């Protein structure tokens, strides 16, 4: 059974709202993270989920928040 397609815009907007970070910043970071994970992945089903978690964690710990 095929996995549902990830809606990147929804993921980016959710992370932006949760971390109070501009969506452009989140989009760039998410895209870069997905690309990085895909280079070594053998199974791609969870790449979007893992990338979203990594981006959230990165933004929460680096203080990349707008004032």
């Amino acid at each position: 059974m095929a996995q549902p397609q990830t809606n990147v815009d929804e993921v980016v907007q959710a992370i932006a709202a949760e971390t109070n970070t501009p969506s452009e910043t989140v989009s760039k970071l998410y895209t870069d993270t997905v690309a990085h994970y895909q280079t070594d992945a053998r199974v791609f089903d969870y790449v979007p989920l893992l990338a979203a978690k990594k981006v959230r964690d990165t933004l929460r710990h680096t203080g990349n928040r707008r004032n």
Side-chain angles (χ1 to χ4, degrees), residues 14-30:
I15 294 171
E18 291 170 20
T19 61
N20 196 28
T21 304
S23 58
E24 297 82 17
T25 302
V26 175
S27 179
K28 173 79 169 113
L29 188 55
Y30 180 80

Side-chain angles (χ1 to χ4, degrees), residues 39-58:
T39 59
D40 295 326
R42 291 184 185 180
V43 177
F44 295 93
D45 292 344
Y46 298 105
V47 168
L49 178 68
L50 295 171
K53 180 176 179 0
K54 174 71 173 172
V55 170
R56 279 188 184 95
D57 290 347
T58 298

